[in-house]
């Protein structure tokens, strides 16, 4: 007998962030809930089922349509706008089409069961608003106002995803936020900190908050790397310099949580060859999204273009390409203008 959609949650996108998020979700849901997973990578799906064995039912679905048919809650962690549009809006395989099909299969005089769908990636705002608009239209015209879309992008990177300490920035229609946000938060708490889940405003607000946060984080990654590189070139102890900075006005997340100098902090990307973190290509992408948002709202910026230029130069060198964004420290340290330090 198939599990009830009310007791079934689907998670689509088992990438660098989505895989550990889904693992924490499976662990937190308890054995009475069924988790559906979907990804283009068959190996990731098989590994996920193996690593979560014994925690509760895990089944594979092929697309968003199947997910929305079988589950009343669908969470996606997708890499970009094209993937979001395909997973949500495709007429044959999309989440919206699946929600309509599920309602048609159980047609009664009563409204369909409510469904919640939420995207947790960092996606261009116009795509988020397009999906929200399509969801609202489908919900109103075909589902008796029972389908709700929220954007809930995350901050904390792969380390936060693995530890279950992510911050979520949620955007939800004000007309339903009092009802929907507590439901969304109950699921997100399995993947993040309860006091780090924020209702930021209407749909799209979560994405705007996330883009602005990443804009600042990208710039501080370069600024902190420059400062620490100056210290290293001057012969200073980078660990002691970090302690002083973190006790003073220069402290930031980069210096305190993901120091760019190898060996200063354990279990951070810089101390494992800049592997396993927030790739410099993604960092540049979201910084560019912040620049576009600034232009759209008429906000003057000064630091974004020089930082994008630095990232572009570093990414052009295969030694730094594909690495955690804090690899800009290594790029600076090994650049002409000073002797590289080991």
């Amino acid at each position: 007998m198939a599990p009830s959609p009310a007791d079934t949650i689907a998670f689509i996108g088992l990438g660098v962030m989505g895989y550990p998020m889904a693992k924490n979700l499976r662990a937190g849901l308890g054995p009475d809930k069924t988790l559906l997973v979907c990804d283009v990578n068959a190996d990731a799906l098989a590994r996920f089922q193996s690593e979560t064995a014994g925690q509760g039912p895990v089944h594979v679905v092929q697309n968003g349509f199947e997910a929305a048919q079988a589950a009343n809650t669908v969470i996606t962690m997708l890499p970009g706008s094209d993937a979001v549009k395909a997973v949500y809006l495709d007429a044959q395989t999309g989440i919206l089409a699946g929600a309509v099909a599920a309602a048609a299969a159980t047609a009664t005089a009563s409204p369909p069961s409510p469904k919640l769908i939420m995207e947790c990636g960092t996606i261009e705002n116009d795509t988020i608003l397009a999906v929200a608009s399509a969801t609202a239209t489908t919900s109103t015209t075909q589902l008796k106002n029972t389908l709700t879309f929220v954007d809930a992008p995350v901050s904390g990177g792969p380390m936060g995803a693995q530890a279950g300490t992510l911050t979520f920035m949620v955007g939800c229609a004000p007309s339903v936020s009092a009802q929907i946000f507590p439901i969304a938060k109950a699921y997100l708490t399995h993947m993040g900190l309860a006091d780090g889940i924020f209702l930021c405003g209407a749909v799209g607000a979560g994405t705007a908050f996330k883009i602005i946060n990443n804009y600042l984080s990208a710039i501080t990654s370069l600024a902190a790397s420059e400062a620490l590189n100056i210290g290293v070139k001057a012969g200073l102890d980078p660990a002691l310099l970090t302690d002083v900075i973190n006790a003073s006005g220069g402290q930031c997340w980069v210096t305190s949580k993901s120091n760019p100098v190898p060996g200063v902090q354990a279990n951070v990307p810089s101390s494992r060859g800049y592997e396993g973190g927030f790739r410099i290509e993604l960092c540049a992408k979201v910084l560019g999204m912040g620049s576009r948002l600034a232009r759209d709202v008429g906000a003057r910026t000064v630091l974004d273009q020089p930082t994008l230029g630095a990232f572009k130069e570093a990414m052009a060198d295969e030694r730094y390409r594909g690495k955690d964004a804090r690899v800009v420290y290594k790029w600076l340290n090994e650049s002409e203008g000073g002797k590289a330090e080991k």
Side-chain angles (χ1 to χ4, degrees), residues 103-190:
T106 57
T108 66
S110 302
S113 297
K115 289 183 183 289
L116 171 63
I117 56 179
M118 54 182 154
E119 165 58 23
C120 296
T122 304
I123 306 300
E124 284 80 0
N125 210 45
D126 57 352
T127 298
I128 291 296
L129 295 178
V131 171
S133 177
T135 301
T137 298
T138 300
S139 183
T140 299
T141 60
Q142 300 184 65
L143 297 173
K144 300 181 180 179
N145 295 309
T146 57
L147 181 65
T148 303
F149 173 76
V150 304
D151 62 318
V154 307
S155 180
M159 291 184 293
Q162 292 162 13
T165 57
L166 294 170
T167 297
F168 288 88
M169 291 152 270
V170 180
C172 181
S175 60
V176 297
S177 61
Q179 172 191 357
I180 295 299
F181 178 65
I183 298 172
K185 184 174 182 178
Y187 291 112
L188 299 178
T189 300
H190 296 310

Side-chain angles (χ1 to χ4, degrees), residues 7-311:
D7 292 325
T8 304
I9 299 89
F11 195 104
I12 301 176
L14 301 182
V16 172
M17 292 291 292
Y19 191 96
M21 289 171 63
K23 282 190 68 176
N24 286 330
L25 178 63
R26 174 62 281 177
L29 287 172
D32 57 329
K33 302 292 185 183
T34 295
L35 181 66
L36 309 178
V37 290
C38 178
D39 196 84
V40 296
N41 186 332
D43 290 340
L45 291 168
R47 181 162 54 92
F48 186 90
Q49 288 182 292
S50 175
E51 291 180 358
T52 58
Q55 296 180 1
V58 175
H59 302 300
V60 173
V61 292
Q62 298 303 310
N63 49 48
F65 185 98
E66 292 184 7
Q69 270 194 312
N72 281 353
T73 302
V74 181
I75 302 169
T76 62
M77 186 67 181
L78 299 169
S81 288
D82 289 344
V84 168
K85 291 173 184 176
V87 169
Y88 279 86
L89 305 181
D90 188 277
Q92 279 72 50
T93 62
I95 290 172
L96 300 192
V100 172
T106 57
T108 66
S110 302
S113 297
K115 289 183 183 289
L116 171 63
I117 56 179
M118 54 182 154
E119 165 58 23
C120 296
T122 304
I123 306 300
E124 284 80 0
N125 210 45
D126 57 352
T127 298
I128 291 296
L129 295 178
V131 171
S133 177
T135 301
T137 298
T138 300
S139 183
T140 299
T141 60
Q142 300 184 65
L143 297 173
K144 300 181 180 179
N145 295 309
T146 57
L147 181 65
T148 303
F149 173 76
V150 304
D151 62 318
V154 307
S155 180
M159 291 184 293
Q162 292 162 13
T165 57
L166 294 170
T167 297
F168 288 88
M169 291 152 270
V170 180
C172 181
S175 60
V176 297
S177 61
Q179 172 191 357
I180 295 299
F181 178 65
I183 298 172
K185 184 174 182 178
Y187 291 112
L188 299 178
T189 300
H190 296 310
M191 300 175 282
L193 299 170
D195 60 357
I197 302 171
F198 299 95
L199 178 58
C200 297
V203 175
T207 296
F209 272 64
K210 167 62 173 174
I211 290 172
I212 292 167
N213 174 74
N214 277 31
Y215 177 95
L216 180 59
S217 177
I219 291 171
T220 56
S221 291
L222 179 59
S225 294
E226 286 188 357
L228 289 165
N229 186 51
I230 293 169
V232 169
K233 295 290 187 182
L236 305 180
D237 177 351
L240 180 56
L241 178 57
T242 293
D243 289 342
V244 171
I245 288 172
N246 287 339
S248 308
Q251 186 275 338
C252 63
W253 186 88
V254 176
T255 59
S256 61
K257 300 295 185 181
S258 189
N259 197 280
V261 182
V264 170
Q265 292 173 343
N267 196 32
V268 299
S270 64
S271 292
R272 51 175 183 262
Y274 298 95
E275 298 289 348
F278 189 50
R279 289 191 298 114
I280 189 170
E281 291 82 1
L282 293 176
C283 191
K285 173 188 171 183
V286 295
L287 177 55
M289 291 168 67
S291 295
R292 289 192 293 276
L293 177 61
R295 289 196 298 271
D296 290 344
V297 300
R300 182 187 177 192
T301 59
V302 176
L303 299 177
D304 53 339
Q305 295 308 313
T307 304
L308 281 167
F311 286 156

